[in-house]
Amino acid sequence: MTPRSSLLALALALAGSLAACTKNDALDFAMHAAPRPEPVTTSGQRLRVGDREVFAGDLHCHVLPPDAPYHVSRPLLPTLRLAAEEHLDFVVLTPHIPARFFQDPAERRWVVRTQRELRDALTALERGSAPDAPLVVPGFEYTDHRYGHVGGGFGDVERTLADLDASGIDLVARPEAFFERWIAHGGLLVVNHPVQIPTKGAPFMALRYDMSFRALLGLPAPPEMVFVAEHAQAFETYNASITFLRDHVVLKEGERSLRAATHLVDVAARARGPARTPIAMAGGSDSHGHWLRATTWVLANERTASAIRDGIAEGRTCVGGPDACTLQVRGDGAWKSIGDELSAGLASVEARAAGSRETTFVVDGQPVATAAPGEIVRLAVSPERCTLIRAITGASWSSHVRVGCAR
């Protein structure tokens, strides 16, 4: 047994003994052993790719309140301190809200009130925060225990509901209209932990639940969840709790859920019609306790909420670490980065990545070449159809560079 595996075994054993304390104590203890990605800023210089910079963050973080104390043990101020300590540039707070809350007057009032209180608290704290403090974005996790969970951020629930009321839309007849208007007002939707099926015998109860996204797995689902499956701008391919505790520690298959969820991204990206709207790879800590990690890296023009939002919507992301964000591809012109589109008609392209480790280049879901940092390789692509290229550099997985997809 290696020193690292010995430490993990000890962590699991101690975590099990803590299970009687609180719901989050065992998970907190075990997750402190999870890998900590390297910061994207070194000696004052931020990692750059072309004319964009790389920003580290987390798209799935719970907070008390609005989350209930039996479920989440970390209030707002400790959350902000943790985000700073972990070198996050941004974090999206995603307290649980009930499925179809907009159809129940009492639930709707609660969601509107708690979202407003969270936004007001963040506004008050922002006035005295340091210029380099993490950007904190209020959001939610739409929680349907039968059909899946949806992360929302960069929008405004109250404004979305007001627009629906003014339009006279019946949310009982058309529940998907809430997510339609959320996107129309600039909000992002993330399919959370889409492949989390129950793990029998797992030492943590959270891993024994089915929290998969049914509409993406070919199973019947209500219209609002079908809409999300077809229109969400990002899928959570990297969930820190699942990837580390379940896949790496329990199942000894460190990339199991990452591979399965990434396959869903590849399939869904091809199924979105002629426009081929990009789907971003997203990461979430899904932290309910006293730990946090950077899980999503975004290529953006500046460190503002709007620029980060646009970077995700355009598919300029990587998960697990920043290195794969350096993927660049070119045909007969300039180098393009993740989220970019190359024209149709190409039979091959050149690709490179400047990460600190060897890179595997993946074309339409298949690994086709490896290269040293900065080394240029030639990749065959189809001149007749959409080709999706991404990179894996160490633990870092990128979103796509698209070739001939916008037809």
Side-chain angles (χ1 to χ4, degrees), residues 24-340:
N24 293 317
D25 283 343
L27 278 170
D28 285 356
F29 189 89
M31 286 305 298
H32 279 295
R36 182 169 276 108
E38 297 178 2
V40 293
T41 302
T42 305
S43 302
Q45 297 296 312
R46 182 175 291 276
L47 179 62
R48 296 188 65 89
V49 183
D51 58 356
R52 298 183 180 89
E53 295 181 308
V54 179
F55 298 95
D58 184 31
L59 295 177
H60 189 175
C61 177
H62 292 276
V63 65
L64 170 71
D67 278 316
Y70 72 85
H71 196 53
V72 176
S73 55
R74 177 179 23 74
L76 182 57
L77 283 176
T79 300
L80 303 188
R81 284 196 292 269
L82 270 175
E85 291 168 4
E86 296 292 337
H87 305 288
L88 270 63
D89 292 301
F90 67 93
V91 59
V92 180
L93 301 181
T94 54
H96 292 281
I97 63 174
R100 297 197 175 185
F101 72 92
F102 38 74
Q103 295 179 353
D104 181 282
E107 287 185 346
R108 173 174 168 150
R109 286 192 296 271
W110 180 84
V111 169
V112 168
R113 175 177 60 80
T114 56
Q115 285 280 309
R116 184 188 302 150
E117 289 171 351
L118 180 60
R119 191 177 295 274
D120 290 347
L122 289 171
T123 300
L125 290 171
E126 195 175 88
R127 296 191 190 103
S129 63
D132 59 348
L135 297 167
V136 186
V137 178
F140 59 77
E141 184 174 25
Y142 182 93
T143 306
D144 189 316
H145 295 294
R146 291 188 62 189
Y147 297 106
H149 297 187
V150 183
F154 301 93
D156 187 315
V157 170
E158 196 166 0
R159 181 185 176 194
T160 299
L161 292 172
D163 181 20
L164 288 162
D165 290 344
S167 301
I169 294 175
D170 184 354
L171 286 170
V172 173
R174 293 193 64 245
E176 68 274 18
F178 173 75
F179 290 126
E180 290 175 1
R181 292 303 172 92
W182 176 261
I183 290 177
H185 285 295
L188 289 185
L189 296 176
V190 182
V191 176
N192 284 346
H193 38 68
V195 295
Q196 188 185 342
I197 59 176
T199 305
K200 294 181 179 179
F204 304 98
M205 287 300 298
L207 300 179
R208 301 181 192 178
Y209 301 133
D210 188 346
M211 293 192 285
S212 61
F213 204 80
R214 312 306 196 272
L216 284 175
L217 302 182
L219 300 173
E224 70 272 25
M225 304 306 263
V226 173
F227 176 88
V228 171
E230 295 174 349
H231 297 278
Q233 297 101 324
F235 291 4
E236 188 184 69
T237 56
Y238 182 95
N239 180 290
S241 302
I242 299 171
T243 302
F244 178 67
L245 287 183
R246 189 194 75 170
D247 297 349
H248 183 71
V249 177
V250 177
L251 300 179
K252 311 299 183 186
E253 298 180 49
E255 297 176 347
R256 179 171 177 168
S257 61
L258 184 53
R259 288 186 183 280
T262 301
H263 174 70
L264 291 181
V265 172
D266 290 342
V267 172
R270 290 188 168 283
R272 289 202 166 177
R276 293 297 199 283
T277 305
I279 301 175
M281 302 266 280
S285 66
D286 202 1
S287 171
H288 291 61
H290 294 278
W291 65 274
L292 202 56
R293 290 290 188 276
T295 56
T296 305
W297 285 259
V298 181
L299 287 179
N301 295 321
E302 58 184 0
R303 198 180 72 96
T304 62
S306 59
I308 297 295
R309 181 260 174 220
D310 290 347
I312 299 168
E314 293 164 2
R316 304 186 189 281
T317 63
C318 53
V319 300
D323 283 350
C325 282
T326 62
L327 170 66
Q328 291 186 301
V329 179
R330 70 180 176 188
D332 51 6
W335 288 104
K336 302 289 187 178
S337 301
I338 52 175
D340 285 341

Side-chain angles (χ1 to χ4, degrees), residues 335 351-354 358 361 370-377:
W335 288 104
R352 68 182 182 185
E358 182 179 77
F361 298 93
T370 59
E375 180 184 356
I376 297 174
V377 297

Side-chain angles (χ1 to χ4, degrees), residues 375-400:
E375 180 184 356
I376 297 174
V377 297
R378 183 160 288 278
L379 308 175
V381 299
S382 171
E384 305 297 333
R385 61 178 178 81
C386 171
T387 301
L388 303 173
I389 301 173
R390 51 184 169 82
I392 303 173
T393 308
S396 177
W397 293 45
S398 81
S399 294
H400 299 122

